[in-house]
Every structure is written in C-alpha cells, then in structure tokens.
Amino acid sequence: MKKTVLHKAIALLGAITMLAGVAACGHSNNADESGNGLKKVTFMLSWAPDTNHIGVYVAKNKGYFKQVGLDVDIVAVAQAGAEQAVNNGQADFALSNLTNVGMYTTKGAKIKQVMQVQQKPSAIWCSLASNTSITSPKDFDGKTFATFGSNESDAVIRRMIQTDGGKGMFDKVTVGTSTFQTLSSGKADFGGFYATWEGVQADMYGPKLNCFTEPDYGVPGNADTIGIITSNKTISSNPTLVRKFVQATKKGYEYAYSHPDDAAAILVKEAPDANLKLAFVKKSMKTIVDGQYWGDLAKIKDGSFVFGTNDTKGAQQYFDFLAKEDAYTDSHGKTVHTVPVAKNISTDEFLK
C-alpha cells in the first residue's frame, strides 16, 4: 500500500485526541542526557524501516550524530502516528511529508518540515499484470480500489481516471492485511504503492504489476515530499538541537545517495527486526539513485541544489489540488477549504 496514504489513514484517526490537550502529557527528550554526556533525542519512524528512513540509520551507524553530541534513539511509529508524537512532544523528530504536515496543521497541529529528502513523486497506482481488463487509469472506472479510506487517495484516483477519459467512479474496499494480498484475493482490482519499495518488491518477488504514475495523469505538484519533521516548539526553544540533527541526518542521506550499496547493508544491520533482504534493499536504493528521487546528483555535486531543500512549489500545487477536491477536513471531520501554505509549514534554515 502506498505508505503516505496508509500512514495518514491510520494517523489521522487520532487527530482529535491529539489536539484536545495531549501536549500537556507529552514527554520531550530534549533535556535528557545519556551516561556518556550526549543529548538524548528520539526519532520516530513513520512506518516499518525502509529506504525512506535510511539516512537516519546511516547517520547513527557512521557516528554522525555522536559527532554533534547527540544520542539518537530510533523508535517504532506510535499507533496514532508520528505527526501526533512530534506535536505532543513524545518524539523530537520523525519522518513524514509536507502533505501530512499540511493535513495536521489544518487540524491545529504545530509541526514543521525541516528537511525534504524526496524531491519527486514515487507513487504508483497499480493492478495485477494478470488483470487484463485494466490497461490504463480509465479502466479503474467501475472497479474496486483497495484503500485505507483516505480522502487524498480518492482525489488522486478520481483525477487520474478523469484525465484518462473516464468518469472517476469506483468502488472501495478497506485493505485488511496488505494491498498485494487484497488484489491477489480478488477483493479489489487496484491499489497504491511506492515505485521505490513495493514496486521493487513486485519486480523481484511478484506478483507482477501494471502501474500508472500521478504526473502522467493530471495530478499536479509533488505528493511525496518525504522528509524530516519536528515541532514548532522545538524549533523555537532549541534551534541548535534542530540544526545538529538536520545536519547529521543530511550527511547520512548524502552518504546513502553516494554509497547506495553500503547504505543498504547498514539498514539491514541496524534494523534486524525488519528482516530485510540485502538484495532487495540494494535494488530499492538503485531505483532511488537511478531515478534521482532525492535530487539531481550533478546539481548536488556542483552546489546548485542543496540536498534536503523543501519543494514548496511542488507541495503547494498538490495542496491546491487537494483543496479543490475537498480533501481537507478539520478536527471534527468537517470539510474545510483553507489551503495549507507550504512555505509556512517548512523551513530550509537548518540545512545551512
């Protein structure tokens, strides 16, 4: 399942609780010191360990965090979501994306993205290759979508179908275990994935997929602005901490981009509970590098693009699209038309 959609669908269920005063009971690690004098910091995953998180694992393994005086604890995502944990102080930093941040700030959260790793969409919307009735998005019309109930994913699918000449009408079924299993069981006809992870999985292990990308079918901007978030409170109260974490994390991702095979081995070693296969992680990293998902390598090397820069233009185009599709709701579930402003929920100041 496309993880931004899955993560949001789960995480946003807790938004009302999050904004009803949980900040008072949150715990921040900013003031804690480890036995070796390093400042203890908590980084929360946004789903299972994968190559989206790899730079943080590399930074920890290579000692980049220790070099700036940080002892970083990488923890599993909370049930209500990483955004909620950051907003209420239970985690100092987390992996998220500007779309999620926009969704949460619409509900009153005070969080901001401080570094963007992924610079272009990697979402793919797919049917099983064995399903010969689907050859392009217009064939999703009248079919069943394997979903976790996100307004965002509905808007994307509807736009893709309509751009391809269809009506944009489809049925939905809630995914029980995995989108792969839901499609293979025949309970649904299509679903969402990431080209850099599930797409690699399908290529290597099956089942084979027939996939379509958002930019090719009318979805504007960048939906997959994956990066590092923290709270506005942490930014204002401890900007030095934020700068140290961002700089070390940036170094970890840059190392992974330049040394993908070595970084893959580090992820497998540092996240043993995930039971990742090295060949699979290497191919995921190859897909990221070959597709230049984290930015133009030549521009990064010559300094004309700073790794980690937030794509506020691409994000805003996507935000505006979602607003037109009535995808934003407040903490009570009511549709709102106040569009998040990408420049207000992100900053590049800590990249320098």
Side-chain angles (χ1 to χ4, degrees):
M1 182 65 190
K2 187 189 174 198
K3 290 183 281 291
T4 47
V5 174
L6 163 59
H7 172 48
K8 264 174 289 198
I10 296 173
L12 289 175
L13 292 175
I16 296 176
T17 302
M18 172 186 73
L19 300 172
V22 291
C25 62
H27 172 69
S28 173
N29 292 316
N30 287 353
D32 295 341
E33 297 288 338
S34 60
N36 54 13
L38 300 175
K39 185 177 292 294
K40 296 187 72 173
V41 175
T42 299
F43 172 81
M44 184 170 284
L45 304 173
S46 280
W47 42 81
D50 64 5
T51 44
N52 287 314
H53 299 94
I54 199 167
V56 179
Y57 285 96
V58 169
K60 184 169 184 176
N61 176 272
K62 291 288 184 182
Y64 300 156
F65 290 130
K66 286 187 177 180
Q67 288 170 13
V68 294
L70 303 182
D71 179 8
V72 176
D73 187 19
I74 301 174
V75 300
V77 62
Q79 185 174 1
E83 293 83 6
Q84 174 172 339
V86 168
N87 188 68
N88 67 25
Q90 291 178 333
D92 299 298
F93 301 92
L95 191 80
S96 183
N97 59 66
L98 277 172
T99 304
N100 280 16
V101 173
M103 292 281 186
Y104 267 89
T105 55
T106 298
K107 301 175 190 298
K110 305 297 182 182
I111 55 179
K112 187 170 287 188
Q113 185 157 291
V114 290
M115 171 184 164
Q116 182 177 316
V117 178
Q118 187 159 309
Q119 298 295 328
K120 69 178 187 179
S122 59
I124 48 176
W125 302 90
C126 313
S127 60
L128 296 181
S130 58
N131 185 351
T132 57
S133 66
I134 297 177
T135 59
S136 71
K138 69 176 181 295
D139 297 326
F140 291 158
D141 251 343
K143 301 293 197 303
T144 302
F145 174 32
T147 179
F148 281 84
S150 162
N151 289 340
E152 178 194 347
S153 60
D154 288 354
V156 168
I157 291 298
R158 188 163 54 246
R159 172 62 64 88
M160 290 178 69
I161 294 173
Q162 291 171 344
T163 298
D164 197 34
K167 296 179 180 179
M169 304 294 291
F170 50 90
D171 295 322
K172 296 186 288 184
V173 63
T174 301
V175 174
T177 50
S178 79
T179 304
F180 282 114
Q181 291 179 12
T182 304
L183 298 185
S184 296
S185 69
K187 294 179 181 178
D189 300 295
F190 65 95
F193 304 89
Y194 270 146
T196 54
W197 195 251
E198 294 94 344
V200 174
Q201 180 182 342
D203 285 343
M204 292 183 72
Y205 311 115
K208 297 297 183 182
L209 299 172
N210 187 25
C211 301
F212 314 99
T213 62
E214 296 173 12
D216 289 336
Y217 292 95
V219 179
N222 184 0
D224 300 324
T225 47
I226 297 168
I228 306 297
I229 66 167
T230 190
S231 66
N232 292 359
K233 181 179 179 181
T234 300
I235 290 173
S236 61
S237 65
N238 203 339
T240 300
L241 170 68
V242 179
R243 176 165 277 103
K244 287 180 176 179
F245 185 86
V246 169
Q247 289 287 330
T249 301
K250 176 174 176 282
K251 190 174 180 181
Y253 278 102
E254 288 177 320
Y255 180 90
Y257 214 20
S258 299
H259 305 83
D261 286 353
D262 189 31
I266 290 172
L267 178 61
V268 172
K269 176 185 176 182
E270 296 291 335
D273 292 343
N275 295 314
L276 297 170
K277 295 181 180 179
L278 181 57
F280 169 62
V281 180
K282 282 185 175 180
K283 187 167 182 180
S284 175
M285 282 305 301
K286 179 175 171 52
T287 301
I288 289 170
V289 173
D290 289 351
Q292 300 198 78
Y293 282 98
W294 295 353
D296 187 318
L297 281 164
K299 292 183 178 180
I300 292 171
K301 289 178 180 178
D302 69 20
S304 59
F305 175 78
V306 177
F307 189 99
T309 299
N310 288 287
D311 177 18
T312 55
K313 180 179 179 181
Q316 194 63 55
Q317 290 173 337
Y318 188 63
F319 292 173
D320 293 343
F321 156 71
L322 291 180
K324 290 177 182 178
E325 296 290 330
D326 295 332
Y328 290 110
T329 58
D330 61 18
S331 60
H332 301 289
K334 181 181 178 181
T335 299
V336 294
H337 294 98
T338 302
V339 186
V341 179
K343 290 182 179 179
N344 293 344
I345 59 175
S346 65
T347 178
D348 295 332
E349 66 178 297
F350 301 107
L351 296 172
K352 303 169 184 175

